[in-house]
Amino acid sequence: RVFVRYKVKLSPRTADIWDAIERAGDMGIEVQELGNMFYSQKSERKARALMSRQVVRINEWMDTAKAGVRVCNQRGLPYRVIRR
């Protein structure tokens, strides 16, 4: 199965990650919370690293597609979707 968000094809898990971040709205969602949602079987450190890599990939795909949106992931702040 493939899901499309802003003209970008995403796997089910990646689409779920995008949706969780987008649903969080302007307040955003902490990387630890995302890690617990999607990588609960991993250590907190590993889950955070995996989530960070997923977000970098999502942003690369959104940028390539000129989607006009991306995940803002400033150090220490919650992840949130921003319009560009």
Side-chain angles (χ1 to χ4, degrees), residues 66-84:
K66 296 181 175 38
V69 292
R70 69 186 338 257
V71 176
C72 181
N73 60 338
Q74 296 172 336
R75 195 168 203 53
L77 296 176
Y79 288 146
R80 65 188 192 287
V81 173
I82 59 169
R83 310 265 182 255
R84 296 175 62 167

Side-chain angles (χ1 to χ4, degrees), residues 18-30 70-72 78-83:
W18 173 268
D19 292 344
I21 296 169
E22 192 169 44
R23 259 193 319 272
D26 291 337
M27 296 299 293
I29 186 168
E30 296 287 341
R70 69 186 338 257
V71 176
C72 181
Y79 288 146
R80 65 188 192 287
V81 173
I82 59 169
R83 310 265 182 255

Side-chain angles (χ1 to χ4, degrees), residues 12-50:
R13 176 179 288 253
T14 305
D16 287 345
I17 291 168
W18 173 268
D19 292 344
I21 296 169
E22 192 169 44
R23 259 193 319 272
D26 291 337
M27 296 299 293
I29 186 168
E30 296 287 341
V31 67
Q32 294 88 347
E33 188 174 347
L34 285 169
N36 289 339
M37 289 170 65
F38 296 100
Y39 298 106
S40 60
Q41 72 282 11
K42 305 286 184 189
S43 70
E44 184 177 326
R45 184 176 178 180
K46 181 71 172 176
R48 184 180 299 145
L50 289 167

Side-chain angles (χ1 to χ4, degrees), residues 39-68:
Y39 298 106
S40 60
Q41 72 282 11
K42 305 286 184 189
S43 70
E44 184 177 326
R45 184 176 178 180
K46 181 71 172 176
R48 184 180 299 145
L50 289 167
M51 192 54 59
S52 294
R53 275 187 244 142
Q54 284 278 28
V55 167
V56 167
R57 266 191 248 128
I58 289 170
N59 280 337
E60 287 172 353
W61 296 329
M62 292 295 174
D63 290 345
T64 299
K66 296 181 175 38

Side-chain angles (χ1 to χ4, degrees), residues 1-5 8-12 15:
R1 292 181 355 200
V2 175
F3 296 87
V4 177
R5 302 293 186 270
V8 177
K9 293 179 182 177
L10 302 172
S11 70

